[in-house]
Amino acid sequence: MKILIVNFSDMEGGAARAAYRLHTSLLKEDIDCQMLVLRKRSEDDTVIGPTSIARKFTAKLQSIINTFPLKHYDCKDEFSASFSPSFQIVEKINKLNPDLVHLHWINAGFLKIEDLKKIKAPIVWSLHDMWAFTGGCHYADTCVSYTANCGNCPVLNSIKENDLSRDIFKRKQKIFFEINNLTIVGLSKWLETCAKSSTLFKNREVVNLPNPIDTSVFKPFAKEEARSLLGLPKKKKLILFGAMSATSNPRKGFIELKSALKNLQNRDIEFLVFGSDQPKDPQEFDFKTHYLGQLNTDISLVKLYSAADVVIVPSLQENLSNVILESLSCGTPVVGFKIGGNSDMIEHKINGYLAEPYETDDLAHGIEWVLNHENSKEISKMARDKVLKNFDSKLVAKKYIELYNKNIEKKTTGSY
């Protein structure tokens, strides 16, 4: 079996980290697997990226060109038009001649919608957000127009029915109709449900399979030693928050988190933020805040999760958070809103706390519940056990292999 995983990058962003983890998990199961990316950051020989200076320049140009259609709109959130040409990416895919192509995050000018039908091998497509079945937004918030035909797009701040989102939706509808060998993977149960209710995928096979995590890497590390290595206080309760653009992306919930932190009764705490450098005008709290910036290695992340008493993921919309998965695997409980894929990982008052959506008082209550719990070792054990039973890379890789075999067999028998 020869598998090709296709993602914009191998290291940059949550989707990249998840896709690369699946890639390495498959290699450990003796699967012939390669990864094709537009932006390569690793030294892994099994990852294929642009090599020439000209091709690297073209890759940057693709991302820029893809934003041109948005210049006519007051876009308030993540939106991808799939506008720029793919510059022979499909030709590269077909030349590699895989038995199956596993798509992940293909935006920022990586793959144009129209090029998907040119892929000769069966396609499995893992959804890291909602983009595949919307008119271009990555998260639809309260909008459900993807169950109809998009238009009047709130992300674009558009009041026109025949706007860019309607145009992209129609393009997808036409192309997807022409692709027979396509299976959709909702990484969370929430996204699986959304995809099944969408106009574009309601008649497709949609399954739920999660991201894998290597539990031999992400595992508990001695708390005092972790704090000592990171220069953090040993006697304080440490609250950890982190994400890409952690403090600047409204969807990550930093505003809601600030409100919750102000409501905490326990003041013998310190606050840790990773994924963002200290802003020019940092938020003032009644306790010390540490801005840790970007952490680029799994080892540093393991130490940070292990140093914390609780991790907060206050996202307003979330698929299957790497932060939650990594934290639980390290035995650190997580508090978040009961939204998206959070409940796939967080079991309320067992390995963490699920607050009522956007209720900051309840989010604060959840933080207090974890910090004041009489048996923190039991919560930690339950956090780790949840990941071992449901998300361990060896277990998840085997499920993906089963899915691949099923789809390759369909092509062989012509049963699409």
Side-chain angles (χ1 to χ4, degrees):
M1 183 193 302
K2 186 177 181 181
I3 304 299
L4 180 65
I5 290 179
V6 178
N7 191 73
F8 177 78
S9 176
D10 55 348
M11 290 291 170
E12 293 181 359
R17 288 171 59 80
Y20 184 71
R21 284 174 183 171
L22 176 59
H23 170 59
T24 56
S25 299
L26 292 170
L27 291 174
K28 290 177 182 177
E29 294 300 313
D30 295 323
I31 298 297
D32 182 359
C33 187
Q34 291 178 295
M35 189 171 181
L36 179 66
V37 301
L38 191 64
R39 202 169 283 175
K40 181 176 178 179
R41 294 293 182 260
S42 74
E43 300 296 324
D44 192 333
D45 290 338
T46 63
V47 177
I48 304 165
T51 52
S52 69
I53 294 175
R55 188 64 190 93
K56 290 177 180 179
F57 173 77
T58 304
K60 290 182 179 180
L61 186 62
Q62 283 175 252
S63 295
I64 296 170
I65 293 173
N66 195 56
T67 65
F68 286 178
L70 300 180
K71 296 185 183 297
H72 301 290
Y73 295 91
D74 181 20
C75 190
K76 67 177 185 179
D77 205 345
E78 296 167 279
F79 191 102
S80 295
S82 191
F83 174 74
S84 61
S86 300
F87 290 106
Q88 299 184 322
I89 294 295
V90 172
E91 287 81 356
K92 181 70 173 178
I93 291 172
N94 290 334
K95 187 176 181 180
L96 290 167
N97 194 29
D99 295 312
L100 183 139
V101 174
H102 190 162
L103 302 179
H104 286 261
W105 200 85
I106 58 170
N107 298 117
F110 186 26
L111 270 175
K112 193 174 182 180
I113 297 166
E114 284 74 11
D115 286 336
L116 298 185
K117 68 178 182 180
K118 300 175 185 176
I119 296 174
K120 296 178 181 179
I123 300 170
V124 169
W125 193 354
S126 283
L127 308 185
H128 291 267
D129 53 35
M130 305 175 78
W131 181 84
F133 55 83
T134 71
C137 68
H138 290 260
Y139 284 93
D141 198 11
T142 58
C143 176
V144 292
S145 291
Y146 62 85
T147 62
N149 56 5
C150 287
N152 299 115
C153 179
V155 172
L156 294 175
N157 275 319
S158 169
I159 58 173
K160 296 181 180 180
E161 283 193 16
N162 293 313
D163 60 10
L164 179 61
S165 72
R166 175 71 61 85
D167 178 60
I168 294 170
F169 191 90
K170 286 182 177 179
R171 287 170 56 205
K172 288 180 178 179
Q173 199 166 30
K174 179 180 183 297
I175 297 304
F176 293 169
F177 180 77
E178 299 175 14
I179 302 174
N180 294 321
N181 55 349
L182 174 64
T183 299
I184 304 301
V185 175
L187 294 173
S188 65
K189 294 173 184 175
W190 164 72
L191 203 55
E192 176 197 21
T193 300
C194 291
K196 285 181 175 178
S197 69
S198 72
T199 299
L200 295 176
F201 291 150
K202 64 182 179 182
N203 296 319
R204 292 285 182 182
E205 181 181 7
V206 182
V207 300
N208 169 229
L209 282 177
N211 296 323
I213 187 166
D214 189 340
T215 55
S216 68
V217 174
F218 284 89
K219 59 185 178 181
F221 189 90
K223 190 176 295 293
E224 284 198 10
E225 186 177 349
R227 291 186 176 191
S228 177
L229 289 169
L230 294 170
L232 298 171
K234 294 183 179 180
K235 301 299 182 182
K236 296 282 187 178
K237 293 288 187 180
L238 299 184
I239 299 172
L240 176 64
F241 165 68
M244 290 287 289
S245 306
T247 58
S248 59
N249 185 340
R251 188 172 53 81
K252 296 301 181 181
F254 189 59
I255 292 174
E256 287 71 18
L257 178 56
K258 287 191 295 183
S259 178
L261 292 177
K262 289 178 181 178
N263 291 332
L264 293 179
Q265 300 299 311
N266 188 339
R267 304 321 259 180
D268 190 31
I269 59 178
E270 293 192 8
F271 185 42
L272 315 177
V273 180
F274 74 99
S276 288
D277 294 324
Q278 181 169 329
K280 292 181 180 178
D281 299 309
Q283 178 68 36
E284 295 294 332
F285 295 107
D286 294 336
F287 38 81
K288 188 174 182 179
T289 300
H290 305 260
Y291 287 92
L292 305 173
Q294 298 284 345
L295 299 179
N296 297 315
T297 67
D298 289 344
I299 294 173
S300 60
L301 283 170
V302 167
K303 291 173 183 174
L304 183 58
Y305 290 126
S306 298
D309 293 288
V310 61
V311 170
I312 316 301
V313 180
S315 303
L316 309 185
Q317 279 197 299
E318 191 70 66
N319 181 17
L320 197 77
S321 164
N322 284 338
V323 170
I324 294 177
L325 198 55
E326 292 164 357
S327 178
L328 294 179
S329 193
C330 292
T332 303
V334 181
V335 176
F337 291 121
K338 190 178 181 180
I339 54 94
N342 288 359
S343 59
D344 291 13
M345 298 170 286
I346 303 172
E347 295 182 276
H348 187 53
K349 291 189 174 182
I350 295 176
N351 65 0
Y353 191 97
L354 288 168
E356 289 302 311
Y358 323 127
E359 293 188 9
T360 57
D361 287 348
D362 198 24
L363 193 67
H365 179 73
I367 298 170
E368 298 273 14
W369 182 85
V370 172
L371 294 180
N372 300 330
H373 200 281
E374 61 186 12
N375 195 343
S376 59
K377 289 184 178 180
E378 180 62 19
I379 304 177
S380 178
K381 180 180 181 302
M382 297 305 292
R384 173 76 172 166
D385 286 350
K386 178 71 175 181
V387 177
L388 289 172
K389 292 176 182 177
N390 297 279
F391 302 99
D392 178 73
S393 56
K394 192 173 185 67
L395 174 70
V396 173
K398 288 181 177 179
K399 291 182 178 180
Y400 274 103
I401 293 168
E402 290 176 10
L403 180 65
Y404 298 157
N405 277 322
K406 178 182 174 182
N407 281 271
I408 292 169
E409 184 178 348
K410 282 183 180 179
K411 180 184 179 182
T412 303
T413 59
S415 58
Y416 277 109

